[in-house]
Amino acid sequence: MLVVNGVRPLVSAVLCLLLAAGALTAAAPAATAAPSLPPGFVLRDQPSGQDAYDLTDFTYLPDDSTISTGKQGEVAWVSPGGKVNTLATLPADTSQDLGLVGIAAAHDYETSRHIYLARAVPDGADGHLLRLARWTVQGSPEPTGITDEQVIFEIRSFSDVHGLTGIIAAPDGTLWVSTGDMSDYWRTDPAAFRTFDLDRPQGKIMHINPDGTGVASNPHYQASAPSSWRSRVYARGFRSPFRFALDPATGTPIVGDVGYGSWEEIDVVRPGQNYKWPCWEGEHRTPGYTDRPECDNVANTPPVWEYQHGSGVDQGNSVTGGIVYQGESYPETYRGAYFFGDYTQNKLWSLRLDAEGNLVQEPQSPPLGTDIGGPVKFEAAPNGDIVYADINSGSLRRLSYSAANNPPTAEATTSTDPATRTVTFDGSGSIDFDGDALSYEWDFGDGGTATGVRATHTYEPGTERFTARLTVRDSLGAADSVDIVVVPSNNSPELTLTPPAQEDFAVGEEIALSAAATDAEDGPLAVTWSSSVVHCGEETTCHNHPGPGGEGGELNSAFTAHPDSRMEFTAEATDSEGVAVTRTYVARPREHLLKLTSNVPAVLQIPVEGGGSSAMVTEGAELDVLAAQTATDGGSTFQKWSDGPTSRSRVITMGSGDRTLNAEYLSPIAQRYNAEPGLRDALGAPTGPEVVDGPVHHRSYENGRLYWTAETGVHALRGGNLAKFLDLGGHAALGVPTTDERATPDGVGRYNHFSEDASIYWTPDTGSHAVWGDIRVKWADLGWERGPMGYPTTDETRTPDGVGRFNHFSKAASIYWTPGTGAHGVAGAIRVEWRRVGWETGPMGYPTTDETRTPDGVGRFNHFSKAASIYWTPGTGAHEVHGRIRERWVALGWERSYLGYPTTGEFAVSGGRQSNFQHGYVRWFAANNTVIDRRY
């Protein structure tokens, strides 16, 4: 994104006055920090023929001279020695990013004298006419003009940003051209999806012949329509591919694509590939766009490198694609590296790619260069040195390297008191890139001299103009000099700027300014105006867009619609000695708070504000807001905005006060309740709001509740089952229902299952009781209520000894559980006998088996934890066997022995205990702990 502001450099003393909130405030010119580079590297400025903040592009000619372009339409030639010829001043539409923005010299320039220019041409029609054209340079040996414009192609854009962004004249005679998405930057603009469309020029890298036809090797070339956009397209899906270059080794384009909200990226461009803007920015989904159906199932094409917006050490806000270094003067580590920059943060990096375009060396951290100016185009000098157009200074800055001592660079400024003819000289802007200490020698041009970084000299009356000289010398003797013209008696012009009465502005409101200038020597002076739109998502990410200018005593301008922006208007007057005075008025936006809320937590975005849910927005600004289709709970769906619109994405105009927009979501509970009349009739009317407890949502009704989680869906609880559920601790204890209340297969009972392996069963006779955990698993294994247990008649209950848990069931049955025994069922006569002898606290302990059939098929038994068993047959009934008596019976072969099944429990006899069996008995003697068995 090319942004310039048209402020002219000043020849001598500069007075910069800022008007803020209607008050006139004096301020010194902003200081520019010295560049920081690795040892041995230096930056040398060369003239471009363009003003500061107007330089947009340049190209080298075969004789090492350059031709540059200025945003306002100026084409300038600069000789290797610094001589400047203005070749043309072309009409240019300079709105926002537009103007004269691109140039390339034809590969056969020596014979053809052709150059290619990209500009926006004012034609009076709606929109903006973007034109790529070929021109012929006139004049020999020095160029003096350009002529014979031949249009290659034109695009009608209804956006004033992201237009034609770059031109490369390849060695094979073909042209490479980049175009931006030509869509709005202040909202989620569906037009941005034209970048995907092969039959539209927006957001493309194109490879064409000089006549505008597509190159036949292009991936979508149509022999029947060589001039179609499809035939021209090499790759697509770019937002603002501001500058790009060809890898000298492979011919592959490498592009810097300027980001939207948060990320800048470098892409290695493959033929036919889609780089997926606007669905993706860098490696991140784009707020506002990713939720649109056009982005469904759109996988990213990752960049080779990305960096985040901001002013941190590795951050920036507008990438400028660079070039691969092919020289030999830089250290080996930089040879073959790709150099690129960020013009808003004044940074320079290099990275390295392998032959396949894969990243093998990340950019430096901290950057290779900081405070290096604003690079907007990179080219290679004849020896391969990196040269870039610095939009901030209007200079071409050459990055050179020497392992030996580098001479310093001399810089000087002055200020004059004409009443005393005293001039103050300041050399503090001088730089030594090797970090050597500098000495300063001043020659005032009238025979006077001085030393030191600053000096003051009073000139005698008589001569009115002097040429002073500053020489700076490093500790190894290397030196550099700069000449300064001073006029000791010249008074600076006086400039008065009258601001508007109001302090801030809504979009479109008129800003009316007036200014008058006079000079003691020259009388009234002409006033020129320039302006810029300063866009600041945050103060650390500010960058400028050009605004309206003019001449005369008045300037009227409408306040910008650009989001997060202020406007700066500068009036300038220059006297006949070249001394300039400026005053600047800052018009600030009248902002109000826009806040997005919702009835349930959901992702709500103001895309132009970085995707946040609240922002200060300029009154009168148009912008879009977006509500997610599904709330963060994973189930609630968007229904409408509380003020009526039913589209999740909507464009609003900010009013004259704070504004809150509420997105209304319909929860899964409400969706089901509304959709099922039978359910509504059963539950009745709601008796309270929907309650959210983490992932669990529930709502109460006259006759029940509905519960929902994303994993289980919506289910109803009613009657006794609901009462039991709440009595046991609700979803914190049993989880949420995974079924509605259902009828059991026998038609007698009703039940709900729950997510924590639990169930609640109800019958008219038993009421509602809960079964969970291992006891529930065992009950299910035994056939639920249809098996030998029947319905639960108790909840799971702790045993008196605190070790176990149990449920009793309706068929005179129970399931008992302990950590050591697991869960087992006891039923019928065996359970009656176990209860008679004291349940688990008696001589038997806990069951260690379910009731089990004996091998002969006649009997049934349960074993218990205290080395005990209860056996039952139809003929003998149920009887317990335990202790030493059981040991003897086991040793003899259980019921398969001659004794058969027990016919009594253990009972007392003289001297011990005895159990009777079908065919004999076993007796235990207490005196010696022995047992005997006998037949009857």
Side-chain angles (χ1 to χ4, degrees):
M1 178 189 297
L2 181 63
V3 291
V4 301
N5 76 12
V7 177
R8 296 180 178 274
L10 307 182
V11 175
S12 182
V14 178
L15 180 62
C16 178
L17 298 176
L18 299 178
L19 281 70
L24 194 64
T25 306
T32 301
S36 174
L37 295 165
F41 281 99
V42 296
L43 283 172
R44 301 290 183 190
D45 286 352
Q46 305 166 209
S48 71
Q50 305 293 340
D51 288 338
Y53 304 106
D54 205 48
L55 172 63
T56 57
D57 200 355
F58 72 104
T59 187
Y60 274 96
L61 300 181
D63 63 356
D64 298 345
S65 64
T66 58
I67 298 181
S68 67
T69 55
K71 178 181 175 66
Q72 304 299 321
E74 186 171 334
V75 182
W77 171 82
V78 183
S79 73
K83 180 181 180 181
V84 177
N85 289 345
T86 297
L87 303 185
T89 301
L90 303 176
D93 174 356
T94 59
S95 302
Q96 293 274 29
D97 288 356
L98 307 182
L100 176 56
V101 297
I103 185 172
H107 76 292
D108 60 351
Y109 176 85
E110 281 188 294
T111 56
S112 70
R113 307 283 283 180
H114 289 160
I115 61 171
Y116 299 94
L117 297 178
R119 67 176 169 134
V121 181
D123 67 347
D126 289 343
H128 308 275
L129 182 64
L130 311 182
R131 177 183 294 172
L132 176 68
R134 189 191 74 199
W135 294 76
T136 301
V137 176
Q138 293 179 308
S140 181
E142 293 183 0
T144 58
I146 60 174
T147 188
D148 190 26
E149 180 181 23
Q150 301 293 315
V151 176
I152 298 172
F153 66 69
E154 293 180 334
I155 304 169
R156 177 69 60 180
S157 174
F158 291 91
S159 170
D160 54 8
V161 295
H162 311 161
L164 277 173
T165 55
I167 317 168
I168 297 174
D172 63 0
T174 62
L175 299 177
W176 295 80
V177 183
S178 60
T179 58
D181 67 357
M182 305 179 202
S183 66
D184 288 331
Y185 52 83
W186 52 267
R187 67 183 177 95
T188 303
D189 186 356
F193 289 100
R194 294 177 302 190
T195 67
F196 288 12
D197 190 343
L198 292 169
D199 296 313
R200 293 178 176 267
Q202 290 83 5
K204 307 299 191 297
I205 299 293
M206 291 182 274
H207 192 193
I208 62 175
N209 296 306
D211 63 359
T213 59
V215 174
S217 60
N218 282 346
H220 310 288
Y221 181 78
Q222 297 172 309
S224 60
S227 295
S228 66
W229 292 117
R230 180 179 292 261
S231 289
R232 295 164 171 163
V233 170
Y234 184 81
R236 56 187 165 138
F238 300 97
R239 180 175 185 264
S240 181
F242 177 47
R243 297 300 188 205
F244 70 113
L246 304 180
D247 184 330
T250 64
T252 301
I254 307 173
V255 65
D257 197 15
V258 178
Y260 175 55
S262 301
W263 298 92
E264 303 294 307
E265 67 182 84
I266 299 291
D267 294 303
V268 174
V269 181
R270 312 293 185 183
Q273 185 59 269
N274 182 349
Y275 288 82
K276 308 301 174 55
W277 166 261
C279 297
W280 293 83
E281 181 185 32
E283 297 207 50
H284 310 269
R285 293 190 177 276
T286 310
Y289 285 101
T290 189
D291 232 6
R292 293 184 61 90
E294 296 94 328
C295 290
D296 290 348
N297 303 314
V298 175
N300 192 27
T301 303
V304 72
W305 182 253
E306 66 171 6
Y307 62 94
Q308 194 166 17
H309 286 183
S311 59
V313 64
D314 297 318
Q315 296 177 324
N317 302 305
S318 186
V319 66
T320 300
I323 61 171
V324 175
Y325 174 70
Q326 290 291 289
E328 297 182 355
S329 62
Y330 292 3
E332 183 64 34
T333 187
Y334 298 105
R335 297 178 190 178
Y338 174 76
F339 284 73
F340 67 100
D342 187 283
Y343 99 86
T344 68
Q345 291 297 304
N346 309 137
K347 294 177 179 178
L348 178 70
W349 291 274
S350 72
L351 57 78
R352 187 176 295 277
L353 306 170
D354 63 18
E356 286 74 42
N358 301 307
L359 182 70
V360 293
Q361 180 179 305
E362 293 184 355
Q364 297 83 4
S365 178
L368 171 68
T370 56
D371 298 309
I372 52 89
V376 294
K377 171 64 181 297
F378 288 85
E379 281 281 358
N383 75 334
D385 280 0
I386 301 294
V387 182
Y388 58 87
D390 173 16
I391 192 173
N392 296 345
S393 67
S395 299
L396 303 181
R397 309 201 80 179
R398 180 166 179 160
L399 181 68
S400 300
Y401 178 84
S402 174
N405 181 52
N406 288 288
T409 298
E411 296 287 346
T413 60
T414 64
S415 61
T416 302
D417 180 357
T420 62
R421 294 176 60 85
T422 300
V423 180
T424 300
F425 297 85
D426 187 341
S428 60
S430 302
I431 303 168
D432 188 273
F433 285 97
D434 299 321
D436 299 331
L438 295 177
S439 60
Y440 302 81
E441 302 166 7
W442 296 96
D443 179 347
F444 299 127
D446 64 351
T449 61
T451 60
V453 64
R454 295 176 182 85
T456 300
H457 184 68
T458 300
Y459 288 86
E460 295 296 327
T463 306
E464 294 304 316
R465 184 181 292 269
F466 298 86
T467 300
R469 172 170 290 186
L470 168 64
T471 300
V472 294
R473 198 177 309 275
D474 68 16
S475 56
L476 297 178
D480 186 44
S481 298
V482 62
D483 290 339
I484 317 103
V485 175
V486 294
V487 184
S489 62
N490 183 64
N491 288 275
S492 297
E494 294 183 3
L495 176 62
T496 302
L497 190 155
T498 303
Q502 66 193 84
E503 298 180 359
D504 51 29
F505 299 85
V507 171
E509 281 189 346
E510 184 180 63
I511 305 167
L513 301 167
S514 62
T518 186
D519 182 76
E521 292 82 15
D522 300 333
L525 298 177
V527 176
T528 59
W529 297 88
S530 61
S531 71
S532 63
V533 175
V534 184
H535 173 59
C536 302
E538 301 173 1
E539 280 300 319
T540 60
T541 64
C542 293
H543 57 276
N544 295 344
H545 296 262
E551 297 181 355
E554 296 182 350
L555 179 69
N556 295 318
S557 176
F559 192 77
T560 180
H562 203 295
D564 296 322
S565 298
R566 58 182 179 264
M567 297 186 75
E568 296 181 359
F569 297 89
T570 299
E572 180 179 353
T574 305
D575 69 11
S576 59
E577 296 294 346
V579 177
V581 172
T582 66
R583 281 189 169 89
T584 297
Y585 172 75
V586 179
R588 301 191 180 278
R590 184 160 64 250
E591 294 183 312
H592 308 290
L593 177 64
L594 174 62
K595 187 176 181 180
L596 307 183
T597 61
S598 56
N599 60 320
V600 296
V603 176
L604 308 171
Q605 298 178 320
I606 309 172
V608 75
E609 297 290 346
S613 60
S614 65
M616 298 301 294
V617 178
T618 305
E619 183 178 317
E622 285 190 320
L623 70 162
D624 66 327
V625 297
L626 176 68
Q629 175 63 43
T630 304
T632 54
D633 61 24
S636 298
T637 56
F638 176 85
Q639 297 299 300
K640 67 183 182 70
W641 296 93
S642 57
D643 57 342
T646 57
S647 174
R648 294 187 299 111
S649 178
R650 57 184 291 199
V651 175
I652 67 166
T653 299
M654 194 66 191
S656 58
D658 294 348
R659 186 174 183 184
T660 298
L661 297 175
N662 186 66
E664 296 183 2
Y665 285 80
L666 196 63
S667 72
I669 288 175
Q671 292 172 42
R672 185 176 175 199
Y673 182 80
N674 292 346
E676 298 182 24
L679 182 69
R680 290 199 303 273
D681 292 343
L683 292 176
T687 59
E690 188 168 310
V691 177
V692 179
D693 183 6
V696 178
H697 294 218
H698 61 85
R699 190 171 192 182
S700 296
Y701 301 84
E702 292 173 321
N703 303 317
R705 275 192 183 184
L706 288 173
Y707 278 80
W708 173 85
T709 70
E711 292 75 22
T712 61
V714 180
H715 296 291
L717 277 175
R718 296 187 290 142
N721 283 4
L722 173 59
K724 175 59 67 174
F725 175 71
L726 296 177
D727 180 60
L728 292 174
H731 62 269
L734 302 182
V736 294
T738 59
T739 66
D740 294 336
E741 184 178 292
R742 295 174 177 173
T744 55
D746 61 9
V748 174
R750 310 284 295 178
Y751 70 93
N752 289 84
H753 293 323
F754 298 87
S755 59
E756 292 297 322
D757 296 326
S759 299
I760 296 177
Y761 274 71
W762 169 92
T763 71
D765 295 332
T766 62
S768 294
H769 294 288
V771 187
W772 63 83
D774 286 350
I775 291 179
R776 178 177 178 270
V777 172
K778 175 56 68 175
W779 185 43
D781 183 57
L782 293 173
W784 301 100
E785 76 282 355
R786 301 184 301 277
M789 303 284 109
Y791 289 93
T793 58
T794 67
D795 302 326
E796 185 177 295
T797 306
R798 186 179 298 277
T799 55
D801 61 8
V803 174
R805 310 282 293 181
F806 69 90
N807 282 79
H808 292 326
F809 293 86
S810 60
K811 293 181 180 178
S814 301
I815 298 176
Y816 275 72
W817 169 92
T818 72
T821 62
H824 297 288
V826 186
I830 292 178
R831 179 176 176 273
V832 171
E833 179 65 12
W834 183 43
R835 180 179 63 189
R836 185 188 68 78
V837 298
W839 299 103
E840 75 283 352
T841 59
M844 315 303 290
Y846 288 93
T848 59
T849 67
D850 300 327
E851 185 176 297
T852 306
R853 186 179 299 277
T854 55
D856 62 9
V858 174
R860 312 282 290 180
F861 68 90
N862 281 79
H863 293 322
F864 294 84
S865 60
K866 293 180 179 179
S869 301
I870 297 176
Y871 273 73
W872 169 91
T873 70
T876 61
H879 301 286
E880 94 283 357
V881 186
H882 56 91
R884 292 298 305 278
I885 293 174
R886 180 177 180 272
E887 286 180 10
R888 182 63 175 173
W889 186 46
V890 170
L892 292 172
W894 300 98
E895 76 280 359
R896 299 185 299 277
S897 69
Y898 79 90
L899 293 172
Y901 288 93
T903 57
T904 69
E906 188 176 291
F907 57 90
V909 296
S910 177
R913 306 282 292 176
Q914 179 173 312
S915 287
N916 293 335
F917 295 83
Q918 287 174 310
H919 308 297
Y921 63 89
V922 177
R923 182 177 296 171
W924 169 76
F925 297 96
N928 56 11
N929 193 29
T930 60
V931 292
I932 63 170
D933 60 276
R934 295 287 187 271
R935 291 183 182 274
Y936 294 127

